[in-house]
């Protein structure tokens, strides 16, 4: 980040098990990794909200970092639970000694065991700050391997609607999709897994924008992880399956699902997809290969080949974008 500036980091906390336990956030900026007990007076960090209860699946938090004066240096940033990340202020990554980065990369932490109620945190956006992945080369220099500038979060869907944005053109941040409430057609941005639950409960009829490419069928799909440990039989064939339906008559003719390292592919199927109904939602279950090394919480890219007839002549490849594997 630049000196004398204010930046924001947007995070989403996801609860796997809900309860009324209160979670307090105490983010800190420390002078260095070697001096963890000092806080620089010219760098301030706040979290909004600073605490929340685990009584809903998703909570959004905005971290605000304010740099005063001509601040320059490498500081240790603590956001949540365990571990420190380098926060570079006023320098390019090449101006920082590789030894400093190496200390962060190789640091060991005695992290306490977390309970099943502890939420997972995911960074979903930045404003005024850039996240970079850096590697230390054999010649003791640094190389930027990737730059992640997610950008500032858009306004809430209700705010977009109030300023004149059409319902079909409302934008959600990365990994979220747009749904509307059946009672009053009010919009909301939710995760794909939440969208499926809202459809099952009759809260919403369908998703409005859930694909990167044009989807004439209104496909909704998720990868489910459901291990069958200790199953006495008969047992399902595998731990992962595709849960999928559509808003109109369609046949699933194939899929290509990748996590960046491995892919599950099939182009030899023909499955009639259930129609998405409000009062009695139904989904097709398509079991995925047995040798997948994925786990709960991994992000996968879902592409499906769908046709209006039970053959591949009219098949269309639809990119459903990224989705997290859910239980």
């Amino acid at each position: 980040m630049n000196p004398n500036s204010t930046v924001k980091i947007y995070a989403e906390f996801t609860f796997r098990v809900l309860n009324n336990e209160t979670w307090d956030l105490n983010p800190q900026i420390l002078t260095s990794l070697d001096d963890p007990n000092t806080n620089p007076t010219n760098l301030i960090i706040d979290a909004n909200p600073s605490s929340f209860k685990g009584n809903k699946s998703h909570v959004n938090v905005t971290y605000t970092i304010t740099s005063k004066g001509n601040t320059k240096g490498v500081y240790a940033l603590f956001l949540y639970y365990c571990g420190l990340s380098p926060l570079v202020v006023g320098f390019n990554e090449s101006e920082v000694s590789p030894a400093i980065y190496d200390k962060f990369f190789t640091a060991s932490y005695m992290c306490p065991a977390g309970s099943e109620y502890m939420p997972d945190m995911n960074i979903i956006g930045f404003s005024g700050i850039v996240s970079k992945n850096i590697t230390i080369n054999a010649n003791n220099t640094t190389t930027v391997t990737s730059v992640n500038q997610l950008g500032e979060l858009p306004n809430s869907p209700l705010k977009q609607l109030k300023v004149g944005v059409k319902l079909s053109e409302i934008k959600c941040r990365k990994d979220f999709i747009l749904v509307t409430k059946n009672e009053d057609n009010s919009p909301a941005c939710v995760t794909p897994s939440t969208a499926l639950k809202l459809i099952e409960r009759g809260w919403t009829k369908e998703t409005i924008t859930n694909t990167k490419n044009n989807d004439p069928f209104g496909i909704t799909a998720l990868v489910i992880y459901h291990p069958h440990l200790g199953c006495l039989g008969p047992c399902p064939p595998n731990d992962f399956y595709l849960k999928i339906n559509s808003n109109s008559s369609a046949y699933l003719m194939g899929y290509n699902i990748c996590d960046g390292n491995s892919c599950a592919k099939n182009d030899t199927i023909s499955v009639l997809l259930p129609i998405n109904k409000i009062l009695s939602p139904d989904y097709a279950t398509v079991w995925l290969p047995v040798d997948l090394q994925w786990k709960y919480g991994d992000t996968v890219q879902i592409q499906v080949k769908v046709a209006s007839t039970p053959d591949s002549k009219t098949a269309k490849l639809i990119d459903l974008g990224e989705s997290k594997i859910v239980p």
Side-chain angles (χ1 to χ4, degrees):
M1 65 179 289
N2 294 322
N4 197 27
S5 65
T6 298
V7 303
K8 296 181 184 295
I9 300 174
Y10 304 98
E12 180 194 41
F13 288 81
T14 302
F15 286 90
R16 290 166 287 176
V17 179
L18 302 183
N19 68 0
N20 285 319
E21 183 176 351
T22 298
W23 294 88
D24 296 317
L25 296 179
N26 297 292
Q28 297 182 62
I29 298 176
L30 308 177
T31 301
S32 70
L33 191 64
D34 296 325
D35 195 5
N37 297 316
T38 58
N39 301 91
T41 57
N42 50 1
L43 284 174
I44 301 172
I45 184 169
D46 295 303
N48 184 27
S50 59
S51 65
F52 47 82
K53 288 190 175 182
N55 55 10
K56 57 182 179 180
S57 298
H58 302 278
V59 176
N60 293 326
V61 172
T62 300
Y63 294 95
T64 301
I65 302 175
T66 302
S67 170
K68 298 179 179 180
N70 192 29
T71 306
K72 289 186 177 182
V74 181
Y75 302 89
L77 177 63
F78 172 78
L79 294 181
Y80 168 69
Y81 187 50
C82 188
L84 297 168
S85 301
L87 175 66
V88 180
V89 182
F91 292 114
N92 187 281
E93 68 278 349
S94 61
E95 300 177 276
V96 180
S97 169
I100 295 179
Y101 292 126
D102 192 54
K103 285 183 179 180
F104 281 95
F105 301 158
T106 59
S108 298
Y109 301 97
M110 297 298 293
C111 299
S115 71
E116 62 181 352
Y117 299 103
M118 178 172 287
D120 299 318
M121 187 190 77
N122 182 38
I123 302 298
I124 57 177
F126 302 105
S127 175
I129 192 171
V130 179
S131 175
K132 299 181 180 181
N133 289 337
I134 298 173
T135 57
I136 307 298
N137 303 321
N139 58 357
N140 202 30
T141 59
T142 58
T143 300
V144 177
T145 55
S146 68
V147 178
N148 188 0
Q149 192 166 7
L150 299 176
E152 188 170 0
L153 295 185
N155 290 330
S156 71
L158 282 175
K159 288 183 179 180
Q160 294 181 55
L161 193 65
K162 288 179 179 179
V163 297
V165 178
K166 294 181 181 179
L167 184 63
S168 60
E169 297 177 357
I170 288 177
K171 303 298 183 182
C172 294
R173 63 179 178 268
K174 183 177 180 289
D175 294 332
F176 280 63
I177 59 179
L178 181 64
V179 298
T180 57
K181 190 176 182 179
N182 285 328
E183 294 180 359
D184 55 10
N185 217 34
S186 58
C189 292
V190 299
T191 62
S193 58
T194 300
L196 280 176
K197 293 177 182 178
L198 293 177
I199 292 172
E200 290 175 348
R201 296 169 184 172
W203 190 93
T204 184
K205 180 179 180 180
E206 60 183 22
T207 59
I208 295 178
T209 56
N210 66 337
T211 62
K212 290 184 176 180
N213 297 334
N214 182 38
D215 175 14
F217 302 101
I219 302 296
T220 299
L222 282 175
V223 174
I224 306 295
Y225 172 59
H226 187 67
H228 303 281
L229 301 176
C231 178
L232 299 178
C235 299
N238 196 16
D239 291 346
F240 296 95
Y241 63 90
L242 185 67
K243 184 177 181 180
I244 183 170
N245 67 8
S246 64
N247 289 335
S248 59
S249 180
Y251 291 83
L252 178 66
M253 308 302 298
Y255 57 78
N256 182 22
I257 306 171
C258 302
D259 71 338
N261 297 313
S262 60
C263 296
K265 298 181 180 180
N266 192 330
D267 289 318
T268 61
I269 60 175
S270 179
V271 178
L272 177 62
L273 298 181
I275 300 296
N276 183 8
K277 298 179 181 179
I278 300 176
L279 298 179
S280 57
D282 190 16
Y283 304 90
T285 296
V286 180
W287 292 100
L288 301 179
V290 298
D291 57 348
L292 296 172
Q293 300 300 309
W294 303 340
K295 61 183 182 298
Y296 161 74
D298 284 354
T299 298
V300 292
Q301 186 88 14
I302 302 177
Q303 292 181 325
V304 292
K305 186 180 291 186
V306 183
S308 56
T309 57
D311 57 61
S312 59
K313 293 181 180 180
T314 61
K316 177 181 179 63
L317 183 64
I318 299 173
D319 186 352
L320 297 176
E322 292 184 345
S323 178
K324 284 190 176 182
I325 298 175
V326 297

